[in-house]
Amino acid sequence: MISQSAGPPATQIAPYLSPATLRALSMGSVPPMASEPSAVMFLDIVGFTQLVRGLAHDGPRGIDTLQRILAGFFGGTVDILHRAGGAVEQFAGDSLLVTFAGGDGVPRAASAGCAIQAWVHRFSSAELPQGQATLTARIGIGYGEIHRIVLGDPETHLHALVVGAPADDAIRAEAHARPGDVFVSRQAAGLLPTTFHLEVTEAGSRVLGGPPVAPPIDPPPVVTTSSAPSALRFLPPTVARKIVDAHAGFAGDFRATTTVFVCADGISAIDATSHAHVDALYRFLDVEAERQGGVLLQTDFTDKGNVLLVVFGAPTAREYKEVAAMRMACRIQAARARFPLVVSFRIGVASGQVYCGDIGCESRRSWTTLGASVNLAARLMTVCPPGGILADAPTHERLGRTFQTRPFGLTTLKGWSEPIESFAIEGELHGGERAGVAVRGLVGRSAELAVVAGALGEAGSGRGTALVVSGEPGMGKSALVAEAGRVAETRGFLVHTGECQAHDVHTPFGPWRRLLGQLLEIDPDGGPIALVSSLQAAIALRAPDAQGWLP
């Protein structure tokens, strides 16, 4: 609930945060890690991707239809969960992770699961312009000690999530569930009273029926105006600004986006020892996403994989989003050695029209993206070789000559009736690398090359100069510049290159970073500590009188 003294920001923010986070904020702060016994429900909605795909090209009517279905579906679902004392911890696309604290958490979770399945049945068939979409749910329940952890920079962006064996068990139980099932782990099944009717299997038990939902034990948490500023930090900054500016949540729409899924292999569990390593990884990815104009939207750290999702093109439109996303992916792969617990990264990238906006209801919601390309990026991640990056055809087509790529072939993926064409991304090209051997033997540029030769002669005599090459796209500017560099090298000049790209608009001093890095033989993309140390050593060697200007 919201206190009577709460201003508009508090009322807008509260639904986007978990009850545990709000309760901790109302008491002063959120601890970086805390543990407690709890039942955990993992609820997966099947059919939303088909629903979004069917409505994506129906204009405003499609948006209205989708939002009406989302509001009704999640409104009833969240109401059932709240009445049973459940706390929606996080949304993962069209899935929910819910906790039920207390010794009677498993019975309340099982009763809520049965009630939700009855509610979902009302939405089993949705009319679309081109047919019908069938919505079903699979529910898994586990029990044990959960860990509430906080990742990120307290000054900019924090992320609270629930991890631990009960969450892993709930996800495994959901995998055993059929559409319409409530499936409980073996440990959780042992905590259900005889009033529940169970079908016992080797993996756990299927709940066939039980008593109605019990009332909640604790009152809902309170968010006040004093805690609202701190609460904002638990949302991605771009999303937080949109929520505050919109005053009443912001309407969803269909947008062209590029989605990046990153799987960090090797992190088996998050505990007091590994928390610092995982936090460093999260902070790095958050900074890289922000640097390239993307939003780190979602994380999942379970024994099924340690996955992070970044979206480009929403909630704020982004030009050259495919290039920006791929640049981030390459930088992530290049930084793998910085994270000792990570054995390898596997990255999937896909582009397309998706729903971007709120999912949930008035009392509990999340801003997310739903659509076929989101699912495709996740599927490409699962088939990607360790250390690799896979992109779908629409993304690859928009990369131009910016990256070294090769066909990965046709791949059969779960959820797709036809094999999907994908491409392996092997790295970003810079400057003359893009023109390649094609710049050798340049034809029809004798006059321009004569100007270059004259400028090199002046430079060789100690009189530096600058040349400007201008022209329409496709006229051969890059090839001419690359040839000028080759000619300079044959005359004994040391050649370094920097470049401006439209997708570098969010990178301060973008072209100079690479150029200075080459001149001083340091990595401009290294971490702050390593960068300052390398810079100090380079200046001490080359220009000791300038050391007083260093940070």
Side-chain angles (χ1 to χ4, degrees), residues 101-153:
D104 62 343
V106 173
R108 286 186 287 113
S111 293
C114 293
I116 288 171
Q117 291 293 15
W119 173 257
V120 170
H121 186 70
R122 302 185 183 191
F123 299 83
S124 59
S125 182
E127 295 291 337
L128 302 178
Q130 300 175 348
Q132 289 185 332
T134 301
L135 298 180
T136 59
R138 294 194 299 257
I139 296 175
I141 298 172
Y143 180 80
E145 186 172 74
I146 63 170
H147 306 296
R148 299 185 183 277
I149 66 170
V150 176
L151 304 175
D153 186 344

Coordinates of all heavy atoms in Angstrom, one line a residue, residues 101-153:
A101 N 6.3 -16.8 2.1 CA 7.1 -16.9 3.4 C 6.3 -17.7 4.4 O 5.0 -17.7 4.3 CB 7.5 -15.5 3.9
G102 N 7.0 -18.2 5.4 CA 6.3 -18.9 6.5 C 6.3 -20.4 6.4 O 6.5 -21.0 5.3
G103 N 6.0 -21.0 7.5 CA 5.9 -22.5 7.5 C 4.8 -23.1 6.6 O 4.9 -24.3 6.2
D104 N 3.7 -22.3 6.4 CA 2.6 -22.8 5.6 C 2.7 -22.3 4.1 O 1.7 -22.2 3.4 CB 1.3 -22.4 6.2 CG 1.1 -20.9 6.3 OD1 2.1 -20.2 6.1 OD2 0.0 -20.4 6.4
G105 N 3.9 -21.9 3.7 CA 4.1 -21.3 2.4 C 3.7 -22.2 1.3 O 3.1 -21.8 0.3
V106 N 4.1 -23.5 1.4 CA 3.8 -24.5 0.3 C 2.3 -24.7 0.1 O 1.8 -24.7 -1.0 CB 4.6 -25.8 0.6 CG1 4.2 -26.8 -0.5 CG2 6.1 -25.6 0.5
P107 N 1.6 -25.0 1.2 CA 0.1 -25.1 1.0 C -0.5 -23.9 0.4 O -1.4 -24.0 -0.5 CB -0.4 -25.4 2.4 CG 0.7 -26.0 3.1 CD 1.9 -25.3 2.6
R108 N -0.1 -22.7 0.8 CA -0.7 -21.5 0.2 C -0.3 -21.3 -1.2 O -1.1 -20.9 -2.1 CB -0.3 -20.2 1.0 CG -1.0 -20.1 2.4 CD -0.7 -18.9 3.1 NE 0.7 -18.8 3.7 CZ 1.6 -18.0 3.2 NH1 1.4 -17.2 2.3 NH2 2.8 -18.1 3.8
A109 N 0.9 -21.7 -1.6 CA 1.3 -21.6 -3.0 C 0.6 -22.6 -3.8 O 0.2 -22.3 -5.0 CB 2.9 -21.9 -3.1
A110 N 0.4 -23.8 -3.3 CA -0.4 -24.9 -4.1 C -1.8 -24.4 -4.3 O -2.4 -24.6 -5.4 CB -0.3 -26.2 -3.4
S111 N -2.5 -23.9 -3.2 CA -3.8 -23.4 -3.4 C -3.9 -22.3 -4.4 O -4.8 -22.3 -5.2 CB -4.4 -23.0 -2.0 OG -4.5 -24.1 -1.1
A112 N -3.0 -21.4 -4.3 CA -2.9 -20.3 -5.3 C -2.7 -20.8 -6.7 O -3.4 -20.3 -7.6 CB -1.8 -19.3 -4.9
G113 N -1.9 -21.8 -6.8 CA -1.6 -22.3 -8.2 C -2.9 -22.9 -8.8 O -3.1 -22.7 -10.0
C114 N -3.6 -23.7 -8.0 CA -4.9 -24.3 -8.5 C -5.9 -23.2 -8.9 O -6.5 -23.3 -9.9 CB -5.5 -25.2 -7.5 SG -4.5 -26.7 -7.1
A115 N -6.0 -22.1 -8.1 CA -6.9 -21.0 -8.4 C -6.4 -20.3 -9.6 O -7.3 -19.9 -10.4 CB -7.0 -20.1 -7.2
I116 N -5.2 -20.1 -9.8 CA -4.7 -19.4 -11.0 C -5.0 -20.2 -12.3 O -5.4 -19.7 -13.3 CB -3.1 -19.2 -10.9 CG1 -2.9 -18.1 -9.8 CG2 -2.5 -18.8 -12.2 CD1 -1.4 -17.9 -9.5
Q117 N -4.8 -21.5 -12.2 CA -5.1 -22.3 -13.4 C -6.6 -22.2 -13.8 O -6.9 -22.2 -14.9 CB -4.7 -23.8 -13.1 CG -3.2 -24.1 -13.0 CD -2.5 -23.9 -14.3 OE1 -3.0 -23.2 -15.3 NE2 -1.2 -24.4 -14.4
A118 N -7.4 -22.1 -12.8 CA -8.9 -22.0 -13.1 C -9.1 -20.6 -13.7 O -9.9 -20.4 -14.6 CB -9.7 -22.1 -11.8
W119 N -8.4 -19.6 -13.2 CA -8.5 -18.2 -13.8 C -8.0 -18.2 -15.2 O -8.6 -17.6 -16.1 CB -7.8 -17.2 -12.9 CG -7.7 -15.8 -13.5 CD1 -6.6 -15.2 -14.1 CD2 -8.8 -14.9 -13.5 NE1 -6.9 -14.0 -14.5 CE2 -8.2 -13.7 -14.2 CE3 -10.1 -14.9 -13.1 CZ2 -9.0 -12.6 -14.4 CZ3 -10.9 -13.8 -13.3 CH2 -10.3 -12.6 -14.0
V120 N -6.8 -18.8 -15.5 CA -6.2 -18.8 -16.8 C -7.1 -19.4 -17.8 O -7.1 -19.1 -19.0 CB -4.8 -19.5 -16.7 CG1 -4.3 -19.8 -18.1 CG2 -3.8 -18.7 -15.9
H121 N -7.9 -20.4 -17.4 CA -8.8 -21.1 -18.3 C -9.7 -20.2 -19.0 O -10.2 -20.4 -20.1 CB -9.5 -22.2 -17.6 CG -10.4 -23.1 -18.5 ND1 -9.8 -24.0 -19.4 CD2 -11.7 -23.2 -18.7 CE1 -10.8 -24.6 -20.1 NE2 -11.9 -24.1 -19.6
R122 N -10.0 -19.0 -18.4 CA -10.9 -18.0 -19.0 C -10.3 -17.4 -20.2 O -11.0 -16.8 -21.1 CB -11.3 -16.9 -18.0 CG -11.9 -17.4 -16.7 CD -12.3 -16.2 -15.8 NE -12.9 -16.6 -14.6 CZ -13.6 -15.8 -13.7 NH1 -13.7 -14.5 -14.0 NH2 -14.0 -16.3 -12.6
F123 N -9.0 -17.4 -20.3 CA -8.2 -16.8 -21.4 C -7.6 -17.8 -22.3 O -6.7 -17.6 -23.1 CB -7.1 -15.9 -20.8 CG -7.5 -14.8 -19.9 CD1 -7.8 -15.0 -18.6 CD2 -7.7 -13.5 -20.4 CE1 -8.2 -14.0 -17.8 CE2 -8.2 -12.5 -19.6 CZ -8.4 -12.7 -18.3
S124 N -8.2 -19.0 -22.3 CA -7.6 -20.1 -23.1 C -7.7 -19.9 -24.6 O -6.9 -20.5 -25.3 CB -8.4 -21.4 -22.7 OG -9.7 -21.3 -23.0
S125 N -8.5 -19.0 -25.0 CA -8.6 -18.7 -26.4 C -8.8 -17.2 -26.6 O -9.8 -16.6 -26.1 CB -9.7 -19.5 -27.1 OG -9.8 -19.2 -28.5
A126 N -7.9 -16.6 -27.4 CA -8.0 -15.1 -27.7 C -8.2 -14.9 -29.1 O -7.4 -15.5 -30.0 CB -6.7 -14.4 -27.2
E127 N -9.2 -14.2 -29.5 CA -9.4 -13.9 -30.9 C -8.4 -12.9 -31.5 O -8.2 -11.9 -30.9 CB -10.8 -13.3 -31.1 CG -11.9 -14.3 -30.7 CD -12.0 -15.5 -31.7 OE1 -11.6 -15.3 -32.9 OE2 -12.5 -16.5 -31.3
L128 N -7.8 -13.3 -32.6 CA -6.8 -12.4 -33.3 C -7.3 -12.1 -34.7 O -8.2 -12.8 -35.3 CB -5.5 -13.1 -33.4 CG -4.8 -13.5 -32.1 CD1 -3.5 -14.2 -32.3 CD2 -4.6 -12.3 -31.2
P129 N -6.8 -11.0 -35.4 CA -7.2 -10.7 -36.7 C -6.9 -11.9 -37.7 O -7.7 -12.0 -38.7 CB -6.3 -9.5 -37.1 CG -6.0 -8.9 -35.8 CD -5.9 -10.0 -34.8
Q130 N -5.9 -12.7 -37.4 CA -5.6 -13.8 -38.3 C -5.7 -15.2 -37.6 O -5.0 -16.1 -37.9 CB -4.1 -13.7 -38.8 CG -3.9 -12.4 -39.6 CD -2.5 -12.2 -39.9 OE1 -1.6 -12.8 -39.5 NE2 -2.2 -11.2 -40.8
G131 N -6.7 -15.3 -36.7 CA -7.0 -16.6 -36.1 C -7.1 -16.4 -34.6 O -7.6 -15.4 -34.1
Q132 N -6.6 -17.5 -33.9 CA -6.7 -17.5 -32.4 C -5.4 -17.8 -31.8 O -4.5 -18.4 -32.4 CB -7.7 -18.6 -32.0 CG -9.2 -18.3 -32.3 CD -10.1 -19.3 -31.7 OE1 -9.7 -20.5 -31.5 NE2 -11.3 -18.9 -31.3
A133 N -5.2 -17.3 -30.5 CA -4.0 -17.6 -29.7 C -4.5 -18.3 -28.5 O -5.5 -17.9 -27.9 CB -3.3 -16.3 -29.4
T134 N -3.9 -19.4 -28.1 CA -4.2 -20.2 -27.0 C -3.3 -19.9 -25.8 O -2.0 -20.0 -26.0 CB -4.2 -21.7 -27.3 OG1 -5.1 -21.9 -28.4 CG2 -4.5 -22.5 -26.1
L135 N -3.8 -19.4 -24.7 CA -3.0 -19.1 -23.5 C -3.2 -20.2 -22.5 O -4.3 -20.5 -22.1 CB -3.4 -17.8 -22.9 CG -3.2 -16.5 -23.8 CD1 -3.7 -15.3 -23.1 CD2 -1.8 -16.4 -24.3
T136 N -2.1 -20.7 -22.0 CA -2.1 -21.7 -20.9 C -1.0 -21.4 -19.9 O -0.1 -20.5 -20.2 CB -1.9 -23.1 -21.4 OG1 -0.6 -23.2 -22.1 CG2 -3.0 -23.6 -22.4
A137 N -1.0 -22.0 -18.8 CA 0.1 -21.8 -17.8 C 0.6 -23.1 -17.3 O -0.1 -24.1 -17.2 CB -0.5 -21.0 -16.6
R138 N 1.9 -23.1 -16.9 CA 2.6 -24.2 -16.2 C 3.1 -23.6 -14.9 O 3.8 -22.6 -15.0 CB 3.7 -24.8 -17.1 CG 3.2 -25.5 -18.4 CD 4.2 -26.4 -19.0 NE 5.4 -25.6 -19.3 CZ 5.7 -25.2 -20.6 NH1 4.9 -25.6 -21.6 NH2 6.8 -24.5 -20.9
I139 N 2.9 -24.3 -13.8 CA 3.3 -23.8 -12.5 C 4.2 -24.8 -11.8 O 3.8 -26.0 -11.7 CB 2.1 -23.4 -11.7 CG1 1.3 -22.3 -12.3 CG2 2.5 -23.1 -10.2 CD1 0.0 -22.0 -11.6
G140 N 5.3 -24.4 -11.3 CA 6.2 -25.3 -10.5 C 6.4 -24.6 -9.2 O 6.5 -23.4 -9.0
I141 N 6.5 -25.5 -8.1 CA 6.7 -25.0 -6.7 C 7.9 -25.7 -6.1 O 8.0 -27.0 -6.1 CB 5.4 -25.2 -5.9 CG1 4.3 -24.3 -6.5 CG2 5.6 -24.8 -4.5 CD1 2.9 -24.6 -5.9
G142 N 8.7 -25.0 -5.4 CA 9.8 -25.6 -4.6 C 9.8 -25.0 -3.2 O 9.1 -24.0 -2.9
Y143 N 10.7 -25.5 -2.4 CA 10.8 -25.0 -1.0 C 12.2 -25.2 -0.5 O 12.9 -26.1 -0.8 CB 9.8 -25.8 -0.1 CG 9.9 -25.2 1.4 CD1 9.2 -24.1 1.7 CD2 10.7 -25.9 2.3 CE1 9.3 -23.6 3.0 CE2 10.7 -25.4 3.6 CZ 10.1 -24.2 4.0 OH 10.1 -23.7 5.2
G144 N 12.6 -24.2 0.4 CA 13.9 -24.2 1.0 C 14.4 -22.8 1.3 O 13.5 -21.9 1.5
E145 N 15.7 -22.6 1.5 CA 16.2 -21.3 1.9 C 16.5 -20.5 0.6 O 17.3 -20.9 -0.2 CB 17.5 -21.5 2.7 CG 18.0 -20.2 3.3 CD 19.1 -20.4 4.3 OE1 20.2 -20.7 3.8 OE2 18.9 -20.2 5.5
I146 N 15.9 -19.4 0.5 CA 16.1 -18.5 -0.6 C 17.1 -17.4 -0.2 O 17.3 -17.2 1.0 CB 14.9 -17.8 -1.1 CG1 14.2 -16.9 0.0 CG2 13.8 -18.8 -1.6 CD1 13.1 -16.0 -0.5
H147 N 17.8 -16.8 -1.2 CA 18.7 -15.8 -0.9 C 18.3 -14.5 -1.7 O 18.1 -14.6 -2.9 CB 20.1 -16.1 -1.4 CG 20.7 -17.4 -0.8 ND1 20.9 -17.6 0.6 CD2 21.0 -18.6 -1.4 CE1 21.3 -18.8 0.8 NE2 21.4 -19.4 -0.4
R148 N 18.0 -13.5 -1.0 CA 17.7 -12.2 -1.6 C 19.0 -11.4 -1.8 O 19.7 -11.1 -0.8 CB 16.7 -11.4 -0.7 CG 15.4 -12.1 -0.5 CD 14.5 -11.2 0.2 NE 13.2 -11.8 0.5 CZ 12.2 -12.0 -0.3 NH1 12.3 -11.4 -1.5 NH2 11.1 -12.6 0.0
I149 N 19.4 -11.1 -3.0 CA 20.6 -10.4 -3.2 C 20.4 -9.1 -4.0 O 19.4 -9.0 -4.7 CB 21.7 -11.3 -4.0 CG1 21.2 -11.6 -5.4 CG2 21.9 -12.6 -3.3 CD1 22.2 -12.2 -6.3
V150 N 21.3 -8.2 -3.8 CA 21.2 -6.9 -4.6 C 22.5 -6.8 -5.4 O 23.6 -7.0 -4.8 CB 21.1 -5.7 -3.6 CG1 21.1 -4.4 -4.3 CG2 19.7 -5.8 -2.8
L151 N 22.4 -6.4 -6.6 CA 23.5 -6.2 -7.5 C 23.5 -4.8 -8.0 O 22.4 -4.2 -8.1 CB 23.4 -7.2 -8.7 CG 23.4 -8.7 -8.4 CD1 23.2 -9.5 -9.7 CD2 24.6 -9.2 -7.7
G152 N 24.7 -4.3 -8.4 CA 24.7 -3.0 -9.1 C 25.4 -1.9 -8.2 O 25.8 -2.1 -7.1
D153 N 25.4 -0.7 -8.8 CA 26.0 0.5 -8.2 C 25.0 1.2 -7.4 O 24.0 1.7 -8.0 CB 26.6 1.4 -9.3 CG 27.4 2.6 -8.8 OD1 27.2 2.9 -7.6 OD2 28.1 3.2 -9.6

